[in-house]
Amino acid sequence: MTRGSRLRLVLRDVASGCAFGSMAVSGQLPPWTLGLYVFSLVAALLGKRLFARRAKLTALLLLGVAAVLAVNVTAGSLNLVVAACAFAGLISAHRLLSTPDPATDGQVHLSGLLMVAGGAALSGELVYGLFLVAFSVLSSVSLALGVVESAVPEGEPIPVRQVLRPLSTGVSFAVAGAVAFFILFPRLNWNMTGPRASPGIGPATTGFSNTVRLGGTGTIKDNPRVVLRATLNPDPGVDALGAYWVGRTYDIFDGLEWTNAGGVRKEREPLLTLRPGGDNLVHQRVELLPAYGGRTLIALETPSRLGNAVANTSTGGRRTSLQELSGGEARFLESGISYSYEAYSLPPGGSGDRFRKLPPVEQDALLALPENLDPRVAQTAARVLDGEREPMAAAQKLAAWLQREHSYTLEQAGERDDPLADFLFERKAGHCEHFATALTLMLRTQGIRARLATGFFGGERVNEGYILRAGDAHAWTHVLVPERGFVTVDATPPANRPGQGSRWMQRLLGLYEAIESRWRNSVVDYSFRDQVDVARALVRPPKGSEKNERGQLPPARAWGAALVVGMLVYAGWRLVERLSGRPRPLEATRFVDAVEAQLAAAGIVRGDDETLEELHARMSSDGHALAPALAPITRRYLEARFGGRPLRQGEADTLLRSLKSAVSDFVRREAQLRARTDERRARAS
């Protein structure tokens, strides 16, 4: 195998791998199909065509795998789209291990296109786009090398270096043309067919459970994965939001873990109203990503209304109702890989709740203390407060003491019988759950109602919205203040409230999120409306500028757009002019081309500067058997071309049929003559 052939096959196989990767990034393919394809790809890259001599047997094996996938689809354990994508990958794997030939190459590239289409159905993420571009470039170069290889005489080396540069230029123009086609061709939004969602690679990193157990390592604070995207209205416009995003609250502590005293408040509602709102609510459009891994809704403190919830699955999105639980928690009733919804929250400063609105069981829970609470907790709280009984002032005083006397750490070795006492009086170090628990119970020992709240803290600016990471998970205290409701007081040191992960990793993921956001807005969600906006933006004055006064020149972008349109119109006009001015081949010329094709079947080729009349004269002087059949055709051609007697309708077909019959007889006689000659030679030898 030549060097060019090996390169072509490697590019073909790697392109197929990229196409399969565009599906695999969704995380929805069965693991065994992933293993089979990777094995096949590695074997193909090593030149091991294991199925080259077992085509029929392996085809039957492939049918068996298709039957297994069909059974799984029928049983409901596998989605039909996922099964089709998996089967396309297995077809490609089978072709990779088969004998390399033009038919196999075409099948590999065709299965690659099917896999890319399947990847689009399973995932629209940025990584899919990278695999798509890689597949397009590699497969295009591989196909082009195949064309060059077929044009090179057998046995001669393929000029790989000489053709790679023009091929790269051609592929670049093709990609640029594809981008222009995508931008200009009218299209629907991806979400018009239902937003797809993929679980991604790796397990979910955070979520909400029914309890919060005190103690253990705070490993989640190191996790930089993005779990939430949100856009706010009004937009604060700051790089670091520094806000509290509440998920649920807890009011019962037994010495080791927090639980909630209440139950379900509302079973099924499309729109939840948690508390009365006003005219200055903060609107949030929230998307919980697959890394979130829970069904609890998150909103800025303090949420007033929640609704328009959609559960996104691998086959599309569907509306889902919400359920309100005690403690202010709202949950999705439908399971989904990711979720999107809208929320309205009161501005910071208080929840708007009143003590008299709480059920009696929740009122009592706000002062409940564990039976085995260390007496030093109450003694220390009384000493620090020194007679202060106003709830807000007392909470702030205790929070300042905790931040001053205790340090933040994520290292908590082993379980403790009394984790609160160990934090306050022994280790004097802990993470946010320790600080929040200590503040909440110290307030309760002094008759001040409080509860534990969990959610996230922060908000990092990315393009026009904000993101939250798994490491931003946080716990703090809600203090019940008369005529204000629950007010947030955070005892955790301010520097340790956001995620504690590696800064360079957060910057790297932040850059990825910024590119991902651009990809979603510019590609996945790009629609006809966006095309109209782009066209308008070319001629619309910059935002914030005053209207053009009479006589003032248009903006520079309008001149640029006019120049581009003018160049396109001129190029189109030149193309039409060139095509329309090109002389059309005369009927006689087309007729002589057909005659040449017939003669070529008999091995007769006209010279470069030889006319049909000269060819007939040469054949006549040589005594060629086809000269008599060519004579009327030559005469009629000359009459039609120069004698002013055009060919009548159907006359050309009649002449060509007679020549074809003569050529067939000539070829048959020549074959018989060669056979007899070979026979005589064989007898003589």
Side-chain angles (χ1 to χ4, degrees):
M1 184 181 295
T2 64
R3 175 172 171 266
S5 298
R6 287 195 298 269
L7 177 60
R8 176 180 58 80
L9 289 177
V10 168
L11 292 176
R12 183 202 72 175
D13 297 345
V14 175
S16 177
C18 292
F20 186 84
S22 70
M23 299 189 304
V25 293
S26 68
Q28 300 182 60
L29 296 181
W32 59 272
T33 61
L34 179 63
L36 288 176
Y37 184 86
V38 171
F39 171 80
S40 302
L41 179 60
V42 172
L45 291 175
L46 294 176
K48 307 296 183 183
R49 310 295 172 179
L50 305 180
F51 296 166
R53 299 182 180 179
R54 303 174 180 85
K56 294 183 179 180
L57 178 62
T58 54
L60 291 176
L61 181 62
L62 192 62
L63 290 177
V65 174
V68 172
L69 292 173
V71 169
N72 288 332
V73 171
T74 304
S77 59
L78 191 63
N79 180 271
L80 179 60
V81 176
V82 176
C85 292
F87 188 61
L90 294 176
I91 291 176
S92 181
H94 181 272
R95 295 288 82 197
L96 290 177
L97 298 179
S98 301
T99 303
D101 54 39
T104 302
D105 293 345
Q107 291 161 0
V108 171
H109 290 300
L110 178 59
S111 62
L113 288 174
L114 293 175
M115 289 190 291
V116 166
L122 298 178
S123 170
E125 298 177 356
L126 176 61
V127 179
Y128 163 79
L130 299 178
F131 277 118
L132 171 62
V133 173
F135 165 76
S136 303
V137 173
L138 294 175
S139 61
S140 298
V141 175
S142 175
L143 286 169
L145 284 177
V147 174
V148 174
E149 182 180 347
S150 63
V152 174
E154 187 175 355
E156 294 187 11
I158 300 174
V160 176
R161 291 187 178 181
Q162 290 81 353
V163 301
L164 275 183
R165 184 171 181 178
L167 287 182
S168 302
T169 304
V171 170
S172 300
F173 276 107
V175 172
V179 172
F181 180 83
F182 177 87
I183 294 174
L184 299 176
F185 191 78
R187 62 191 59 257
L188 294 176
N189 190 304
W190 174 282
N191 292 329
M192 292 293 289
T193 58
R196 267 69 173 173
S198 60
I201 300 176
T205 57
T206 186
F208 285 86
S209 62
N210 292 326
T211 63
V212 173
R213 190 171 183 84
L214 199 62
T217 59
T219 54
I220 196 173
K221 297 294 287 184
D222 293 328
N223 196 318
R225 289 187 68 184
V226 178
V227 297
L228 179 149
R229 295 192 188 101
T231 56
L232 310 183
N233 186 23
D235 188 348
V238 295
D239 293 334
L241 193 58
Y244 291 90
W245 301 75
V246 66
R248 68 173 301 176
T249 62
Y250 303 86
D251 46 22
I252 301 296
F253 184 67
D254 63 1
L256 292 176
E257 63 182 14
W258 286 92
T259 56
N260 200 283
V264 177
R265 289 184 174 178
K266 295 179 181 178
E267 288 288 350
R268 179 182 292 270
E269 295 288 342
L271 174 66
L272 286 181
T273 301
L274 303 180
R275 52 185 56 84
D279 297 331
N280 55 348
L281 297 177
V282 180
H283 175 248
Q284 307 133 65
R285 195 178 299 274
V286 183
E287 181 183 4
L288 297 179
L289 303 181
Y292 176 68
R295 289 201 294 169
T296 299
L297 282 76
I298 305 296
L300 286 172
E301 283 199 327
T302 304
S304 172
R305 296 195 304 272
L306 302 166
N308 289 335
V310 176
N312 299 317
T313 67
S314 60
T315 57
R318 59 176 179 269
R319 292 283 179 180
T320 177
S321 298
L322 304 176
Q323 182 185 58
E324 182 184 358
L325 285 72
S326 59
E329 180 184 9
R331 288 186 181 179
F332 302 101
L333 286 179
E334 302 289 339
S335 297
I337 299 174
S338 64
Y339 300 91
S340 60
Y341 58 96
E342 295 183 65
Y344 290 86
S345 297
L346 299 171
S351 68
D353 294 327
R354 300 293 184 268
F355 172 74
R356 57 184 174 83
K357 292 184 179 180
L358 296 177
V361 63
E362 294 188 28
Q363 296 179 25
D364 298 338
L366 294 176
L367 290 174
L369 296 170
E371 296 180 357
N372 56 349
L373 182 67
D374 193 310
R376 292 177 293 176
V377 177
Q379 296 168 5
T380 303
R383 176 174 55 82
V384 172
L385 291 180
D386 192 24
E388 179 63 65
R389 287 295 179 269
E390 197 280 320
M392 195 62 188
Q396 292 174 343
K397 198 170 185 178
L398 286 172
W401 177 81
L402 286 168
Q403 294 174 10
R404 185 173 62 251
E405 300 295 331
H406 297 73
S407 60
Y408 186 91
T409 181
L410 298 176
E411 301 296 330
Q412 295 288 316
E415 295 286 341
R416 294 290 189 271
D417 294 335
D418 191 345
L420 178 60
D422 178 72
F423 165 72
L424 284 173
F425 310 116
E426 301 297 331
R427 290 176 55 88
K428 294 189 176 182
H431 45 76
C432 59
E433 293 173 355
H434 294 89
F435 283 92
T437 299
L439 175 59
T440 302
L441 293 183
M442 292 177 80
L443 287 170
R444 289 183 178 186
T445 61
Q446 306 306 303
I448 300 174
R449 291 176 169 82
R451 67 187 183 188
L452 186 83
T454 58
F456 295 85
F457 175 84
E460 178 184 339
R461 183 84 174 188
V462 173
N463 296 331
E464 303 301 323
Y466 292 89
I467 62 171
L468 291 176
R469 306 182 185 277
D472 294 328
H474 192 51
W476 61 95
T477 299
H478 279 170
V479 182
L480 188 61
V481 179
E483 301 303 323
R484 290 183 61 186
F486 287 104
V487 180
T488 292
V489 179
D490 197 347
T492 303
N496 305 115
R497 293 170 188 173
Q500 304 297 305
S502 170
R503 292 298 177 188
W504 71 267
M505 181 61 72
Q506 291 186 9
R507 291 193 187 98
L508 184 62
L509 289 179
L511 176 62
Y512 174 83
E513 277 298 315
I515 300 174
E516 167 77 12
S517 179
R518 293 296 184 188
W519 165 263
R520 288 157 54 89
N521 295 333
S522 303
V523 178
V524 177
D525 293 333
Y526 187 73
S527 64
F528 180 71
R529 178 177 297 178
D530 297 308
Q531 291 174 313
V532 173
D533 292 340
V534 170
R536 288 176 177 173
L538 292 174
V539 296
R540 183 183 299 165
K543 196 173 183 179
S545 63
E546 297 181 357
K547 294 184 178 179
N548 290 338
E549 297 179 359
R550 182 172 297 179
Q552 186 177 356
L553 294 176
R557 66 178 66 184
W559 288 104
L563 178 62
V564 171
V565 172
M567 292 176 64
L568 291 175
V569 171
Y570 176 75
W573 173 72
R574 292 286 297 178
L575 179 61
V576 172
E577 184 183 51
R578 186 163 59 251
L579 293 177
S580 60
R582 180 182 299 173
R584 296 183 179 180
L586 299 175
E587 183 179 2
T589 304
R590 293 195 298 269
F591 173 65
V592 80
D593 290 340
V595 171
E596 287 185 9
Q598 295 284 356
L599 294 175
I604 302 172
V605 180
R606 189 168 59 141
D608 293 338
D609 298 326
E610 190 178 28
T611 65
L612 183 61
E613 184 181 8
E614 293 171 343
L615 174 63
H616 175 254
R618 176 166 60 84
M619 292 175 62
S620 298
S621 63
D622 294 341
H624 199 285
L626 288 177
L630 186 60
I633 294 176
T634 304
R635 184 178 64 255
R636 196 65 189 90
Y637 163 72
L638 293 174
E639 292 174 348
R641 183 75 174 86
F642 304 107
R645 291 183 56 197
L647 294 169
R648 296 186 299 274
Q649 184 176 3
E651 185 179 5
D653 294 336
T654 302
L655 292 172
L656 288 174
R657 280 197 299 270
S658 64
L659 178 61
K660 182 177 181 181
S661 176
V663 168
S664 299
D665 293 340
F666 172 77
V667 171
R668 184 171 62 256
R669 289 195 303 270
E670 288 293 314
Q672 293 172 353
L673 180 60
R674 284 195 299 270
R676 287 195 296 269
T677 302
D678 293 340
E679 184 179 356
R680 285 197 299 270
R681 288 177 180 175
R683 290 177 180 176
S685 62

